[in-house]
Amino acid sequence: QKEVEQDPGPLSVPEGAIVSLNCTYSNSAFQYFMWYRQYSRKGPELLMYTYSSGNKEDGRFTAQVDKSSKYISLFIRDSQPSDSATYLCAMSGGDSSYKLIFGSGTRLLVRP
Amino acid sequence: SAVISQKPSRDICQRGTSLTIQCQVDSQVTMMFWYRQQPGQSLTLIATANQGSEATYESGFVIDKFPISRPNLTFSTLTVSNMSPEDSSIYLCSVLTSGTGYGYTFGSGTRLTVV
């Protein structure tokens, strides 16, 4: 079993839709939770980061962490074609907090 | 946040040869990280490079295969040695992004194809 599980998609939605992206994890020591966006032929770009449980909002993006369920989510409101990318969750914690464990990424396509 | 320049952006190499990837950061950083992203898979940490000391390698990665240099606080290189087609991947360097806990800033990556 992988430490972090993420549905690879692809997820195809119409423009303006609300997108929900999710990851589950098994290591209860994880304390830092991040979402990265990766466009084709580019490096991952940090979108959101959260420490421990709770919600965090930044513009059209909301990150949620439920540590009791070991489940994190990224919501994108009013999705745009420019949001089409691969979204990777990542997390860290415990003795090696600097070491990120990534999900395999979900491909998102927002149709005009 | 830091700006990372990575060279080359892509290369096609013959099996048995070696390729050195360069990573330049526009500010001084203590730790630099090298990741591998295989097609359709998640990013995997290869090693952590600290200036003035030997790199720390993750399980499954060895110095003979992936030697790393870190001559100063803004530069690092990763060499992929004695390449085989299984080494075809995207290689990324990264640094911690200040003010984001343990969020990373990544370079744009080196897309390596071994034939």
Side-chain angles (χ1 to χ4, degrees), chain A residues 17-74:
Chain A
I18 297 175
V19 175
S20 173
L21 304 166
N22 311 292
C23 287
T24 59
Y25 63 95
S26 58
N27 188 345
S28 57
F30 288 147
Q31 294 281 352
Y32 300 92
F33 303 91
M34 282 145 254
W35 286 95
Y36 287 82
R37 176 175 62 196
Q38 187 174 23
Y39 291 113
S40 180
R41 303 187 185 281
K42 297 287 187 183
E45 168 195 11
L46 180 64
L47 265 182
M48 303 279 289
Y49 75 98
T50 309
Y51 174 71
S52 194
S53 283
N55 295 356
K56 187 170 185 178
E57 187 173 319
D58 184 2
R60 297 186 293 114
F61 299 90
T62 299
Q64 286 186 353
V65 174
D66 182 349
K67 291 190 69 179
S68 62
S69 302
K70 298 189 178 69
Y71 188 89
I72 70 171
S73 300
L74 178 71

Coordinates of all heavy atoms in Angstrom, one line a residue, chain A residues 17-74:
Chain A
A17 N -17.3 24.8 -13.5 CA -17.7 23.8 -12.5 C -16.8 23.9 -11.2 O -15.7 24.5 -11.2 CB -17.5 22.4 -13.1
I18 N -17.3 23.3 -10.2 CA -16.6 23.2 -8.9 C -15.8 21.8 -9.0 O -16.4 20.8 -9.3 CB -17.4 23.2 -7.7 CG1 -18.1 24.6 -7.5 CG2 -16.6 22.9 -6.4 CD1 -19.1 24.7 -6.4
V19 N -14.5 21.9 -8.8 CA -13.7 20.7 -8.9 C -13.3 20.2 -7.5 O -12.9 21.1 -6.7 CB -12.4 21.0 -9.8 CG1 -11.5 19.7 -9.8 CG2 -12.8 21.3 -11.2
S20 N -13.3 18.9 -7.3 CA -12.9 18.4 -6.0 C -11.8 17.4 -6.3 O -12.0 16.4 -7.0 CB -14.1 17.7 -5.3 OG -13.6 17.0 -4.2
L21 N -10.7 17.6 -5.7 CA -9.5 16.7 -5.9 C -9.2 16.1 -4.5 O -9.2 16.9 -3.5 CB -8.3 17.4 -6.5 CG -8.6 18.1 -7.8 CD1 -7.5 19.0 -8.1 CD2 -8.7 17.0 -8.9
N22 N -8.8 14.9 -4.4 CA -8.7 14.3 -3.1 C -7.5 13.3 -3.0 O -7.0 12.8 -4.0 CB -9.9 13.4 -2.8 CG -11.2 14.2 -3.0 OD1 -11.5 15.1 -2.3 ND2 -11.9 13.8 -4.0
C23 N -7.0 13.2 -1.8 CA -5.9 12.2 -1.5 C -6.2 11.6 -0.1 O -6.7 12.2 0.8 CB -4.5 12.9 -1.4 SG -3.9 13.4 -3.0
T24 N -5.8 10.3 0.0 CA -5.8 9.7 1.3 C -4.4 9.3 1.6 O -3.6 9.1 0.8 CB -6.7 8.4 1.3 OG1 -6.2 7.5 0.2 CG2 -8.2 8.8 0.9
Y25 N -4.2 9.1 2.9 CA -2.8 8.7 3.3 C -2.9 7.8 4.5 O -3.9 7.7 5.2 CB -2.0 10.0 3.7 CG -2.5 10.8 4.8 CD1 -2.0 10.7 6.1 CD2 -3.5 11.8 4.6 CE1 -2.5 11.4 7.2 CE2 -4.0 12.6 5.7 CZ -3.5 12.4 6.9 OH -4.0 13.2 8.0
S26 N -1.8 7.2 4.8 CA -1.8 6.2 5.9 C -0.9 6.5 7.1 O -1.1 6.0 8.2 CB -1.3 4.8 5.3 OG 0.0 5.0 4.8
N27 N 0.0 7.5 6.9 CA 0.9 7.8 8.0 C 0.3 8.9 8.9 O 0.2 10.1 8.5 CB 2.2 8.3 7.4 CG 3.3 8.5 8.4 OD1 3.1 8.5 9.6 ND2 4.6 8.5 8.0
S28 N 0.0 8.6 10.1 CA -0.6 9.5 11.0 C 0.4 10.6 11.5 O 0.0 11.6 12.1 CB -1.2 8.8 12.2 OG -0.2 8.1 12.9
A29 N 1.7 10.4 11.2 CA 2.7 11.4 11.6 C 2.7 12.7 10.7 O 3.3 13.7 11.0 CB 4.0 10.8 11.6
F30 N 2.0 12.6 9.5 CA 2.0 13.7 8.6 C 1.3 14.9 9.3 O 0.3 14.8 9.8 CB 1.3 13.4 7.3 CG 2.0 12.4 6.4 CD1 1.4 11.5 5.6 CD2 3.4 12.5 6.3 CE1 2.1 10.6 4.8 CE2 4.1 11.6 5.5 CZ 3.4 10.7 4.7
Q31 N 2.0 16.1 9.2 CA 1.5 17.3 9.8 C 1.3 18.4 8.7 O 0.6 19.3 8.9 CB 2.4 17.8 10.9 CG 2.5 16.8 12.1 CD 1.3 17.0 13.0 OE1 0.5 17.9 12.8 NE2 1.2 16.1 14.0
Y32 N 2.1 18.3 7.7 CA 2.1 19.4 6.6 C 1.5 18.8 5.4 O 1.9 17.7 4.9 CB 3.6 19.8 6.4 CG 4.3 20.4 7.6 CD1 5.0 19.6 8.4 CD2 4.1 21.8 7.9 CE1 5.7 20.1 9.5 CE2 4.8 22.3 9.0 CZ 5.5 21.5 9.8 OH 6.1 22.0 10.9
F33 N 0.6 19.6 4.8 CA -0.1 19.1 3.6 C -0.1 20.1 2.6 O -0.4 21.3 2.8 CB -1.6 18.7 4.0 CG -1.7 17.7 5.1 CD1 -1.7 18.1 6.5 CD2 -1.6 16.4 4.9 CE1 -1.8 17.2 7.5 CE2 -1.7 15.4 5.9 CZ -1.7 15.8 7.2
M34 N 0.2 19.7 1.4 CA 0.4 20.7 0.3 C -0.3 20.2 -1.0 O -0.5 19.0 -1.2 CB 1.9 20.8 0.0 CG 2.6 21.8 1.0 SD 4.3 21.2 1.2 CE 4.2 20.5 2.9
W35 N -0.6 21.1 -1.8 CA -1.1 20.9 -3.2 C -0.2 21.6 -4.2 O 0.1 22.8 -4.0 CB -2.6 21.3 -3.3 CG -3.5 20.4 -2.7 CD1 -4.1 20.6 -1.4 CD2 -4.1 19.2 -3.2 NE1 -4.9 19.5 -1.1 CE2 -4.9 18.7 -2.2 CE3 -3.9 18.5 -4.4 CZ2 -5.6 17.5 -2.4 CZ3 -4.6 17.3 -4.6 CH2 -5.5 16.8 -3.6
Y36 N 0.2 20.9 -5.2 CA 1.0 21.4 -6.2 C 0.2 21.3 -7.6 O -0.5 20.3 -7.8 CB 2.3 20.7 -6.4 CG 3.3 21.0 -5.3 CD1 3.2 20.3 -4.1 CD2 4.3 21.9 -5.5 CE1 4.1 20.6 -3.0 CE2 5.2 22.2 -4.5 CZ 5.1 21.5 -3.3 OH 6.1 21.8 -2.3
R37 N 0.5 22.3 -8.4 CA -0.1 22.2 -9.8 C 1.1 22.1 -10.7 O 2.1 22.8 -10.6 CB -0.8 23.5 -10.1 CG -1.4 23.6 -11.5 CD -2.2 24.9 -11.6 NE -1.5 26.1 -11.4 CZ -2.0 27.3 -11.1 NH1 -3.3 27.4 -11.1 NH2 -1.2 28.3 -10.9
Q38 N 1.0 21.2 -11.7 CA 2.1 21.0 -12.7 C 1.5 21.0 -14.1 O 0.7 20.2 -14.5 CB 2.7 19.6 -12.4 CG 4.0 19.4 -13.3 CD 4.7 18.1 -12.9 OE1 4.2 17.2 -12.4 NE2 6.0 18.1 -13.3
Y39 N 1.9 22.0 -14.8 CA 1.6 22.1 -16.2 C 2.5 21.2 -17.0 O 3.7 20.9 -16.6 CB 1.6 23.6 -16.7 CG 0.6 24.5 -16.1 CD1 0.9 25.5 -15.3 CD2 -0.8 24.3 -16.5 CE1 -0.1 26.4 -14.8 CE2 -1.7 25.1 -15.9 CZ -1.4 26.1 -15.1 OH -2.4 27.0 -14.6
S40 N 2.1 20.9 -18.2 CA 2.9 20.0 -19.0 C 4.3 20.6 -19.3 O 4.4 21.8 -19.6 CB 2.2 19.8 -20.4 OG 2.9 18.9 -21.2
R41 N 5.3 19.8 -19.1 CA 6.7 20.2 -19.3 C 7.2 21.3 -18.4 O 8.1 22.0 -18.7 CB 6.9 20.6 -20.8 CG 6.5 19.5 -21.7 CD 6.9 19.8 -23.2 NE 6.4 18.8 -24.1 CZ 7.0 17.6 -24.3 NH1 8.1 17.3 -23.6 NH2 6.4 16.7 -25.1
K42 N 6.6 21.4 -17.2 CA 7.0 22.4 -16.2 C 7.2 21.6 -14.9 O 6.7 20.5 -14.7 CB 5.9 23.5 -16.0 CG 5.7 24.3 -17.3 CD 6.8 25.2 -17.5 CE 6.5 26.2 -18.7 NZ 7.7 27.1 -19.0
G43 N 7.9 22.3 -14.0 CA 8.0 21.7 -12.6 C 6.8 22.0 -11.8 O 6.0 22.9 -12.1
P44 N 6.5 21.3 -10.7 CA 5.4 21.5 -9.9 C 5.5 22.9 -9.2 O 6.6 23.4 -8.9 CB 5.5 20.4 -8.8 CG 6.4 19.4 -9.4 CD 7.3 20.1 -10.3
E45 N 4.3 23.5 -9.1 CA 4.2 24.8 -8.5 C 3.3 24.7 -7.2 O 2.2 24.2 -7.3 CB 3.5 25.8 -9.5 CG 3.1 27.1 -9.0 CD 2.1 27.8 -9.9 OE1 1.7 27.2 -10.9 OE2 1.8 29.0 -9.7
L46 N 3.8 25.2 -6.1 CA 3.1 25.1 -4.9 C 1.9 26.0 -4.9 O 1.9 27.2 -5.1 CB 4.0 25.6 -3.7 CG 3.4 25.5 -2.3 CD1 3.0 24.1 -1.9 CD2 4.3 26.1 -1.3
L47 N 0.7 25.4 -4.7 CA -0.6 26.1 -4.7 C -1.0 26.5 -3.3 O -1.4 27.6 -3.0 CB -1.7 25.2 -5.3 CG -2.0 25.4 -6.8 CD1 -3.1 24.4 -7.2 CD2 -2.4 26.8 -7.1
M48 N -1.1 25.5 -2.4 CA -1.6 25.6 -1.1 C -0.8 24.8 -0.1 O -0.4 23.7 -0.5 CB -3.1 25.1 -1.0 CG -4.0 25.8 -2.0 SD -4.6 27.4 -1.4 CE -5.7 27.0 -0.1
Y49 N -0.7 25.3 1.1 CA -0.1 24.4 2.1 C -0.9 24.6 3.4 O -1.4 25.7 3.7 CB 1.4 24.8 2.4 CG 1.6 26.0 3.1 CD1 1.8 26.0 4.5 CD2 1.6 27.3 2.5 CE1 2.1 27.2 5.2 CE2 1.8 28.4 3.1 CZ 2.0 28.4 4.5 OH 2.3 29.5 5.2
T50 N -1.0 23.6 4.2 CA -1.8 23.6 5.4 C -1.0 22.8 6.5 O -0.5 21.8 6.2 CB -3.2 22.9 5.2 OG1 -3.8 23.5 4.1 CG2 -4.1 23.1 6.4
Y51 N -1.1 23.4 7.7 CA -0.5 22.7 8.8 C -1.6 22.1 9.6 O -2.5 22.8 10.0 CB 0.4 23.6 9.6 CG 0.9 23.0 10.9 CD1 1.9 22.0 10.8 CD2 0.4 23.3 12.1 CE1 2.4 21.4 11.9 CE2 0.9 22.7 13.3 CZ 1.9 21.7 13.2 OH 2.4 21.1 14.3
S52 N -1.5 20.8 9.9 CA -2.5 20.0 10.7 C -3.9 20.1 10.0 O -4.0 20.2 8.8 CB -2.5 20.6 12.1 OG -3.1 19.7 12.9
S53 N -4.9 20.0 10.8 CA -6.2 19.9 10.3 C -6.8 21.3 10.0 O -6.3 22.3 10.5 CB -7.2 19.2 11.3 OG -6.9 17.8 11.2
G54 N -7.9 21.3 9.3 CA -8.7 22.5 9.0 C -8.8 22.9 7.6 O -8.4 22.1 6.7
N55 N -9.3 24.1 7.3 CA -9.5 24.6 6.0 C -8.6 25.8 5.8 O -8.2 26.5 6.7 CB -10.9 25.0 5.8 CG -11.9 23.9 5.9 OD1 -11.5 22.7 6.0 ND2 -13.2 24.2 5.8
K56 N -8.3 26.0 4.5 CA -7.5 27.2 4.1 C -8.0 27.6 2.7 O -8.2 26.8 1.8 CB -6.0 27.0 4.1 CG -5.2 28.2 3.8 CD -3.7 27.9 4.0 CE -2.9 29.1 3.9 NZ -1.5 28.8 4.2
E57 N -8.3 28.9 2.6 CA -8.9 29.4 1.3 C -7.9 30.5 0.8 O -7.3 31.3 1.5 CB -10.2 30.1 1.6 CG -11.0 30.5 0.4 CD -12.4 30.9 0.7 OE1 -13.1 30.3 1.5 OE2 -12.9 31.9 0.1
D58 N -7.8 30.4 -0.6 CA -7.0 31.4 -1.3 C -7.6 31.6 -2.7 O -7.5 30.8 -3.6 CB -5.5 30.9 -1.4 CG -4.6 31.9 -2.1 OD1 -5.1 33.0 -2.4 OD2 -3.4 31.6 -2.3
G59 N -8.4 32.7 -2.8 CA -9.1 32.9 -4.0 C -10.1 31.9 -4.4 O -11.0 31.5 -3.6
R60 N -9.9 31.2 -5.5 CA -10.8 30.2 -6.0 C -10.5 28.8 -5.4 O -11.2 27.9 -5.6 CB -10.8 30.1 -7.5 CG -11.3 31.4 -8.2 CD -11.4 31.2 -9.7 NE -10.1 31.0 -10.3 CZ -9.7 29.8 -10.9 NH1 -10.5 28.8 -10.9 NH2 -8.5 29.7 -11.4
F61 N -9.4 28.7 -4.6 CA -8.9 27.5 -4.1 C -9.2 27.3 -2.6 O -9.0 28.3 -1.9 CB -7.4 27.3 -4.4 CG -7.1 27.3 -5.8 CD1 -6.8 28.5 -6.5 CD2 -7.0 26.2 -6.6 CE1 -6.4 28.6 -7.8 CE2 -6.7 26.2 -7.9 CZ -6.4 27.4 -8.5
T62 N -9.6 26.1 -2.2 CA -9.8 25.8 -0.8 C -9.2 24.5 -0.5 O -9.5 23.5 -1.2 CB -11.3 25.8 -0.4 OG1 -11.9 27.1 -0.6 CG2 -11.5 25.4 1.1
A63 N -8.3 24.4 0.5 CA -7.7 23.2 0.9 C -8.3 22.7 2.2 O -8.5 23.5 3.1 CB -6.2 23.3 1.0
Q64 N -8.7 21.4 2.3 CA -9.2 20.9 3.5 C -8.4 19.7 4.0 O -8.0 18.9 3.1 CB -10.7 20.4 3.3 CG -11.7 21.5 3.2 CD -13.1 21.0 3.1 OE1 -13.3 19.8 3.0 NE2 -14.1 21.9 3.2
V65 N -8.2 19.6 5.3 CA -7.5 18.5 5.8 C -8.3 17.9 7.0 O -8.8 18.6 7.9 CB -6.1 18.9 6.4 CG1 -5.4 17.7 7.1 CG2 -5.2 19.4 5.3
D66 N -8.6 16.6 6.9 CA -9.3 15.9 7.9 C -8.3 14.8 8.4 O -8.3 13.7 7.8 CB -10.6 15.3 7.4 CG -11.4 14.5 8.4 OD1 -10.8 14.3 9.5 OD2 -12.5 14.2 8.1
K67 N -7.6 15.1 9.5 CA -6.6 14.1 10.0 C -7.3 12.9 10.6 O -6.7 11.8 10.5 CB -5.7 14.8 11.0 CG -4.8 15.8 10.4 CD -3.7 16.3 11.4 CE -2.7 15.2 11.6 NZ -1.7 15.6 12.6
S68 N -8.5 13.0 11.1 CA -9.1 11.9 11.7 C -9.4 10.8 10.6 O -9.4 9.6 10.9 CB -10.4 12.3 12.4 OG -11.3 12.8 11.5
S69 N -9.7 11.3 9.4 CA -10.0 10.3 8.3 C -8.8 10.1 7.4 O -8.9 9.3 6.5 CB -11.2 10.9 7.5 OG -12.3 11.0 8.3
K70 N -7.7 10.8 7.7 CA -6.5 10.8 6.8 C -6.9 11.1 5.4 O -6.6 10.3 4.5 CB -5.8 9.4 7.0 CG -5.3 9.1 8.4 CD -4.4 7.9 8.3 CE -3.8 7.6 9.7 NZ -4.9 7.1 10.6
Y71 N -7.5 12.2 5.2 CA -8.1 12.6 3.9 C -7.9 14.1 3.7 O -8.2 14.9 4.6 CB -9.6 12.2 4.0 CG -10.4 12.4 2.7 CD1 -10.5 11.3 1.8 CD2 -11.1 13.5 2.4 CE1 -11.2 11.3 0.7 CE2 -11.8 13.6 1.2 CZ -11.9 12.5 0.4 OH -12.6 12.6 -0.8
I72 N -7.4 14.4 2.5 CA -7.3 15.9 2.2 C -7.9 16.1 0.9 O -8.0 15.3 0.0 CB -5.8 16.3 2.2 CG1 -5.0 15.8 1.0 CG2 -5.1 16.0 3.5 CD1 -3.6 16.4 0.9
S73 N -8.4 17.4 0.7 CA -9.1 17.8 -0.5 C -8.6 19.1 -0.9 O -8.2 20.0 -0.1 CB -10.6 17.8 -0.2 OG -11.1 16.6 0.2
L74 N -8.8 19.3 -2.3 CA -8.6 20.6 -2.9 C -9.8 20.9 -3.7 O -10.2 20.1 -4.6 CB -7.3 20.7 -3.8 CG -7.1 22.0 -4.5 CD1 -6.7 23.1 -3.5 CD2 -6.0 21.9 -5.6

